[in-house]
Amino acid sequence: MDGAGPVYLVGPTGVGKTATALALAERLPIEIVSADSMQVYRELDILSAKPTADDRARVPHHLIDILDVTEPFSAAEFRRLAEAAIVSIERRGKRALVVGGTGLYIRALADGLFDGPDASRDVRQRLLDEAEAKGTDHLHARLTEVDPAAAGKIARHDLRRIVRALEVYETTGRPISAQQTEWAEPKACLMLGLRLPRATLYARINARVDAMFEAGAVEEVERLVAAGIQQGSTAMQAIGVREITAYLRGDTTLDEAKRRIKTQTRRYAKRQLTWFRKDPRIVWYDVADDGGHVAALAKVLAG
């Protein structure tokens, strides 16, 4: 097995990345580095579709359960921690398999990242206060005026990213969308992608959301609220947290919350695919029920 750097296993949510990674780790000397922006949080197990404790006992996982839900996290911080984990894995004579669907994290690790200016506590707090007084839509409308490209990519309810985009604009005088195109040249690396027919993927997503509720998703969000999760925090952006919080406040029904989570998850999967399809380095494999894709991937890794 060639140990020349990490291997990336990417794809949309619900496609089967975790199961595939576990199967590969049982055949080859690899350890898994999670590239998921929500699996870093200890209290966010069900809604992040985190590998189970049994899964993690079978194969070493890194960058899972490292933060409390009240703590922020960023692509730059992910890159720093992932690079350290990869060095540690390689020193043990194994190869790192970076697994996840957070495209920005994958790109940050593979190619470097535009970090932007340091956070301005005063500017950020002023924007958060403005959102509290006038609503997130108000800030999103302002972002549309100064950086329509960023506004088109950021959901109207994603307060954390809206605030960061406005913060960068106010601090530098330049749109964050323009600065985020200032990547280093793409580096040669082994990127493997998993895909399914859209109807099959969406059916899997719907079934997984149902399973999340059966497993205690509502109770998980109750614990997050009790732990002090705040509007605008990184963990608050996990699909399902906002929708279930609205249900707990009595603003919507449980069925409606579940419907919205399914819709948002399907939309997220579509955005992930759009992001990954722009990267010509990714070699795509169709997920097979008989595990044929695992055998094909193992052959590539072993070669």
Side-chain angles (χ1 to χ4, degrees):
M1 182 177 178
D2 184 4
V7 180
Y8 297 85
L9 182 65
V10 305
T13 186
V15 78
K17 296 185 296 294
T18 296
T20 299
L22 289 168
L24 289 171
E26 291 177 345
R27 299 180 182 214
L28 300 164
I30 60 180
E31 296 184 15
I32 296 170
V33 178
S34 171
D36 187 293
S37 60
M38 295 302 155
Q39 290 182 359
V40 296
Y41 292 107
R42 298 186 190 95
E43 300 90 343
L44 196 60
D45 298 332
I46 298 170
L47 291 176
S48 70
K50 189 179 295 177
T52 67
D54 287 343
D55 292 337
R56 284 175 273 164
R58 288 163 54 196
V59 180
H61 284 66
H62 303 264
L63 273 61
I64 290 178
D65 286 349
I66 61 173
L67 296 174
D68 292 328
V69 291
T70 56
E71 297 180 85
F73 198 58
S74 67
E77 183 69 3
F78 164 78
R79 185 186 183 204
R80 182 182 70 80
L81 295 174
E83 287 179 337
I86 291 167
V87 169
S88 177
I89 291 167
E90 292 177 345
R91 283 176 178 167
R92 290 191 291 276
K94 297 186 178 182
R95 195 168 187 183
L97 181 63
V98 181
V99 181
T102 305
L104 180 60
Y105 284 17
I106 297 291
R107 186 76 190 269
L109 180 57
D111 300 325
L113 178 72
F114 159 73
D115 292 328
D118 292 337
S120 168
R121 184 180 299 273
D122 291 342
V123 173
R124 180 165 295 185
Q125 190 57 54
R126 172 170 54 76
L127 291 168
L128 288 171
D129 290 344
E130 191 170 338
E132 183 69 25
K134 299 182 180 180
T136 305
D137 282 349
H138 171 77
L139 289 189
H140 193 275
R142 187 196 302 174
L143 181 61
T144 300
E145 294 177 0
V146 300
D147 190 352
K153 296 177 181 178
I154 300 175
R156 301 182 71 87
H157 61 74
D158 194 340
L159 179 60
R160 179 182 64 85
R161 293 180 64 201
I162 293 170
V163 167
R164 177 57 178 162
L166 286 171
E167 179 186 41
V168 168
Y169 180 78
E170 292 193 15
T171 303
T172 68
R174 297 179 60 214
I176 192 173
S177 60
Q179 299 182 52
Q180 285 176 333
T181 63
E182 298 169 355
W183 299 90
E185 284 296 315
K187 297 179 176 63
C189 57
L190 184 55
M191 285 196 178
L192 310 171
L194 299 181
R195 63 189 178 189
L196 280 167
R198 178 175 295 185
T200 304
L201 178 63
Y202 285 3
R204 280 195 181 193
I205 287 171
N206 291 339
R208 189 165 78 172
V209 172
D210 288 334
M212 285 177 172
F213 275 83
E214 293 174 3
V218 173
E219 292 76 13
E220 179 168 271
V221 174
E222 288 178 327
R223 291 191 293 271
L224 296 180
V225 173
I229 190 171
Q230 298 292 322
Q231 183 86 356
S233 65
T234 306
M236 193 71 181
Q237 306 309 315
I239 296 174
V241 175
R242 190 181 307 275
E243 293 82 359
I244 293 176
T245 301
Y247 161 69
L248 293 172
R249 289 197 308 262
D251 294 340
T252 189
T253 66
L254 186 60
D255 286 344
E256 178 61 16
K258 186 183 296 186
R259 186 194 67 78
R260 289 177 182 175
I261 293 170
K262 290 178 180 178
T263 299
Q264 291 300 326
T265 307
R266 292 193 301 269
R267 289 175 178 170
Y268 177 54
K270 185 177 180 181
R271 292 196 300 272
Q272 287 174 302
L273 283 169
T274 298
W275 175 288
F276 288 128
R277 284 170 177 160
K278 293 177 181 178
D279 194 328
R281 293 171 294 184
I282 299 175
V283 180
W284 291 95
Y285 291 81
D286 295 316
V287 175
D289 292 337
D290 63 359
H293 66 292
V294 175
L297 292 168
K299 185 176 180 179
V300 171
L301 292 177

